[in-house]
Amino acid sequence: MKQLVVLAILATGVTVAFVLTDPLGLTNQATPATNFLTASAITLETFSLLVPSVALAFLLRRHAKEIGQLIGTITCLAMPILILVNAVTWRWIGDSFFSATLWRAATDLRESLAGHITINVVLAMSYLFLAIIVTTAVLWFASRWIARFWEASRRLPGPGRVFLAFVVVAAPGVVFCWTNFQSVRAAMTQSPFQHPWSLMKFLPTTIEQGSEDQPRLSRPSNEIALATVLLARQQQQRHVALQPNVKSQSSAQLDVLVVIVESFRRELVNREVMPNLTQYADRGLVCRSHFSGGNATNHGIFSLVNGLEAIWHESAVRYSPLMNRLLREAGYELGFFGSHNDWRKFQMDGYISSEHFDLFEVTAPGGMDRDRQAVQTASSYLQRRPANAAQRPPRLAIVYLYATHAPYRSYVDDQIFQPAANDRFLIPYTDSSREEVWNRYKNSAHSVDRLLSSLLREDRVVVVTGDHGESFLDDGTIGHGTRISEFQNMTPAMIFAPNMLPRVIDEPTMHADLLPTLLGILGLRLNDASALDGIDLLATNDSGLRKRTFVTRDYLSEEVAVISSPRDISNGVFAATGSVSFKPFHAHRLSVIDRYGNLLQDESSDAFDQWLIERFGKRRLTGSVFEF
C-alpha cells in the first residue's frame, strides 16, 4: 500500500508538471505556473480522480489486495499519460480523447484517414510513445524506491495516515476552487485539454448537441410533410436542366478550366507567394470572404460541382454531378486531371470517377512531379490546334493539385521562404515549429503558382479555388476536417473570363455560387434556378448578398455553421452553429462561435432558424420546434 500511496502522490505531481510546464510543447497555451488558482484547480482535479481508486485499494486490502492494488496502480500510471494523449488529441482534432469525434475518426472514417498516416505522423507518434514509456518507468521505479525507504524508516507514519493527511490537505483546495468556480470553469473552457475533469467529462466545456439549455429544432410532428418537402427538393435538384435551345442562344463555346488547390489558405494569394495567380486574378472576379462547402475535400468539391450546400452530400444527388450534366448538355467534352486517386474512400466517386468524364487521368500523390503531370495533361487537353480548332467542341478541364496538402511539397528552386521545416517535420507539430511549417506551406504554394502559369490564359473561362482551408494552430488544431473555423472552412475563389470587368466581393460567398456564376458567364440558363443553393455572383450586387444566409459544414460531425452578413465581427461573432441530418431528419440549434471555432456561450442567434426557412420554404416556427 505504501508504494500505491507514493505513486498517487507522484502521479499528481507529474500530471500538474505536464500541464504547467508543457515539456513536449503540445498545447501552445500552457498555463503559467504563477497562476495559483489554475495550478490549485489542476492539482485538486488530478488528486480527486485518484482518491477513489486508492481508497478502493484500502478497502480491498484484506480480501482482494492484489485486485485493489492493480486498479489503483493502473489509475495512477494512466493519469499523466491520459493528459499527454489528450493534449495531442486536442492539438489534432480539437476534441478530447474520450469523444464521439475521435470515435468516429477511428471507426467510420478509419479506412479513408489511414492513407494520411505519413512518416511525419509516425515519427510524432513514436516520440509520444517514448514519452509514455519513460513517464511510466519513472513513476514506477521512483515509487518503488521511495516505498522501500519508507519501509526502512520506523519514524514515518503508515500509508493510511499519509493518504488521509493528503486528503485533508486537499480539502481547502476544494473550498478555494468552489469559491472561484467561474474562473476555474472559464479556464477549463479555454483550454480543456489541460484539465483532468474535462478529460473525464466531469464538467462539460462545450454545449452538447441538443442540450437542454439550448433551443432545439427537432423532428417535426408531421413527418410525412417533412419527407415530402425533402423529396420534392431532391427531385427538383435532379431534374434541373438547361432551357430549351440554350446552345443556339448562348455563346458557350469557350473552354472552361476549374483549378482546385488542396488545403488552400486565402493568405497565399499575394504577389510574394503566388505572383502569377495574383496578377491574373486582378483582371477578374475575386471573392475575399469565400467559404468552402466544408472543411474537408469531399464536402468542398461536392458543393462546387453541384451548386449545393454540402448538407446534401449524403443524398442521392451526390451521384449525378450537376456541372458535368449541364455542360455535357451544352455540348462540352469533360476532362478531370488530378494527383490523387482515393476518391472512393472519401465517398467522392459519385462525382469524381471515369464514368463522369470523357477523359479521366489521376495518379497517386507523389510530390510536385504528379502535380506537374496533371497540369501538362490538362494543358494538352485544352489546347486548340489549328487543324481542329473549328471542329473541336468546347471542353471543361478540372485540375486537382495536391502538393499543398501536408507535408507540403515544393521544388528546391521555390523554397524562398526560410527558415522552413524539412521533410521529417512532426505531425502534429508544436507551436515552436509553426513558423517553419508555415514557410514550408508557402513554398509549396509558390511551386503550384509556377505550374499554374501555363494554364492561366485569357481565351478561356478559369475558376481557381481551394477544396477547403488549413489550420496551422490558428484555431488550436492542425490541418483540416477537425473544426469549423475561419482557417479551415474559408478558401480563396477567383473567376476570370474574356472581357470580364474586374470586381472584388467582400461579402460572404460560397462554393455553391461558383457553378451558377460559371453558367451565367457561358450564357447557359436553367429551367429552375431555385434548384441550386448558390447564386450567380455576377448578376447579384452587394446588397443582395447581404440578405442571404448559407452553411458550411464539419467533416467529423453533423455540425454546420450558418454564415450571414453582416457578421458581428466587432463582438467576435463568426457564425451560428447547428446540427443537421436527413437520416433521419433533425435540426438542432447549438450556439454561436468565434473565428477560431470556440463557443461564445453568452451569445444567441436566430440565424439557424432563418437559414432553415430559406432552404426549405416558409414553415411555421412554434417555440423551438420547426413544424411543417
Side-chain angles (χ1 to χ4, degrees), residues 42-80:
I42 296 169
T43 303
L44 173 64
E45 292 169 32
T46 307
F47 196 65
S48 66
L49 293 177
L50 298 180
V51 163
S53 62
V54 177
L56 178 64
F58 274 103
L59 292 175
L60 297 177
R61 60 181 173 176
R62 290 186 178 179
H63 303 288
K65 181 179 179 180
E66 292 77 8
I67 295 177
Q69 286 189 333
L70 179 62
I71 293 174
T73 300
I74 292 175
T75 304
C76 293
L77 291 176
M79 182 55 63

Side-chain angles (χ1 to χ4, degrees), residues 334-353:
L334 313 177
F336 186 94
F337 312 92
S339 53
H340 195 58
N341 63 350
D342 60 351
W343 310 107
R344 183 191 61 79
K345 292 181 180 179
F346 290 90
Q347 298 181 325
M348 290 186 282
D349 54 336
Y351 42 96
I352 301 178
S353 67

Side-chain angles (χ1 to χ4, degrees), residues 557-596:
S557 70
E558 296 173 345
E559 187 173 339
V560 300
V562 181
I563 308 299
S564 58
S565 179
R567 286 171 290 160
D568 194 1
I569 300 298
S570 61
N571 290 333
V573 175
F574 178 68
T577 62
S579 174
V580 178
S581 176
F582 294 156
K583 296 182 178 181
F585 177 83
H586 70 261
H588 298 164
R589 185 195 309 151
L590 296 179
S591 184
V592 176
I593 59 173
D594 62 16
R595 62 199 289 253
Y596 306 101

Side-chain angles (χ1 to χ4, degrees), residues 300-618:
I301 296 183
F302 169 84
S303 184
L304 191 157
V305 301
N306 284 287
L308 298 171
E309 292 166 323
I311 58 170
W312 297 99
H313 186 268
E314 280 70 39
S315 72
V317 181
R318 185 172 89 225
Y319 302 98
S320 180
L322 192 56
M323 178 183 290
N324 300 45
R325 184 153 48 93
L326 294 176
L327 290 188
R328 181 165 279 147
E329 187 179 343
Y332 275 75
E333 294 179 348
L334 313 177
F336 186 94
F337 312 92
S339 53
H340 195 58
N341 63 350
D342 60 351
W343 310 107
R344 183 191 61 79
K345 292 181 180 179
F346 290 90
Q347 298 181 325
M348 290 186 282
D349 54 336
Y351 42 96
I352 301 178
S353 67
S354 57
E355 67 178 282
H356 297 300
F357 294 89
D358 301 302
L359 181 60
F360 188 74
E361 297 283 347
V362 298
T363 61
M368 292 305 307
D369 289 342
R370 303 296 173 85
D371 276 4
R372 182 179 61 183
Q373 179 180 340
V375 168
Q376 290 175 343
T377 309
S379 180
S380 176
Y381 180 73
L382 290 174
Q383 186 175 356
R384 286 183 177 267
R385 296 177 177 82
N388 68 351
Q391 294 81 16
R392 177 174 78 75
R395 287 177 173 174
L396 162 72
I398 298 179
V399 180
Y400 176 73
L401 303 179
Y402 195 73
T404 44
H405 190 286
Y408 318 120
R409 305 293 186 184
S410 62
Y411 290 121
V412 174
D413 293 343
D414 294 320
Q415 295 172 5
I416 61 176
F417 299 101
Q418 297 294 332
N422 59 32
D423 290 348
R424 296 296 180 93
F425 75 92
L426 302 182
I427 300 177
Y429 45 83
T430 64
D431 186 58
S432 60
S433 304
R434 192 262 182 195
E435 182 179 358
E436 293 182 355
V437 177
W438 176 254
N439 282 338
R440 181 179 175 87
Y441 175 64
K442 290 197 295 183
N443 290 333
S444 179
H446 197 62
S447 285
V448 168
D449 182 70
R450 185 148 62 91
L451 291 179
L452 287 178
S453 61
S454 63
L455 290 174
L456 303 179
R457 293 175 41 171
E458 299 188 6
D459 60 346
R460 61 181 57 143
V461 180
V462 178
V463 178
V464 181
T465 189
D467 52 350
H468 48 74
E470 185 86 339
S471 177
F472 292 83
L473 302 179
D474 310 86
D475 58 11
T477 68
I478 66 164
H480 53 269
T482 58
R483 170 175 291 189
I484 294 179
S485 69
E486 170 186 320
F487 312 98
Q488 296 192 34
N489 291 71
M490 298 188 73
T491 190
M494 292 142 285
I495 303 176
F496 177 87
N499 303 317
M500 174 184 286
L501 295 177
R503 181 187 174 191
V504 174
I505 298 179
D506 289 315
E507 298 299 327
T509 56
M510 62 171 170
H511 265 16
D513 297 328
L514 299 179
L515 176 57
T517 304
L518 173 62
L519 296 176
I521 291 173
L522 298 176
L524 302 175
R525 296 184 179 181
L526 301 179
N527 58 4
D528 184 4
S530 67
L532 305 187
D533 294 331
I535 59 176
D536 183 352
L537 297 175
L538 295 179
T540 309
N541 56 27
D542 289 349
S543 176
L545 291 172
R546 294 189 192 102
K547 296 177 182 178
R548 69 172 184 158
T549 60
F550 60 84
V551 298
T552 178
R553 66 172 292 180
D554 182 43
Y555 176 59
L556 290 177
S557 70
E558 296 173 345
E559 187 173 339
V560 300
V562 181
I563 308 299
S564 58
S565 179
R567 286 171 290 160
D568 194 1
I569 300 298
S570 61
N571 290 333
V573 175
F574 178 68
T577 62
S579 174
V580 178
S581 176
F582 294 156
K583 296 182 178 181
F585 177 83
H586 70 261
H588 298 164
R589 185 195 309 151
L590 296 179
S591 184
V592 176
I593 59 173
D594 62 16
R595 62 199 289 253
Y596 306 101
N598 299 320
L599 295 176
L600 302 176
Q601 299 198 33
D602 295 332
E603 300 286 343
S604 61
S605 173
D606 61 356
F608 187 73
D609 306 6
Q610 179 184 346
W611 170 76
L612 278 174
I613 294 172
E614 289 182 3
R615 279 294 168 266
F616 302 106
K618 190 172 183 180

Side-chain angles (χ1 to χ4, degrees), residues 223-246:
E223 295 188 33
I224 297 178
L226 168 64
T228 302
V229 169
L230 295 179
L231 180 60
R233 184 104 207 281
Q234 287 190 5
Q235 289 178 340
Q236 180 191 29
Q237 293 163 354
R238 296 178 67 179
H239 295 158
V240 66
L242 298 178
Q243 291 183 355
N245 301 321
V246 69

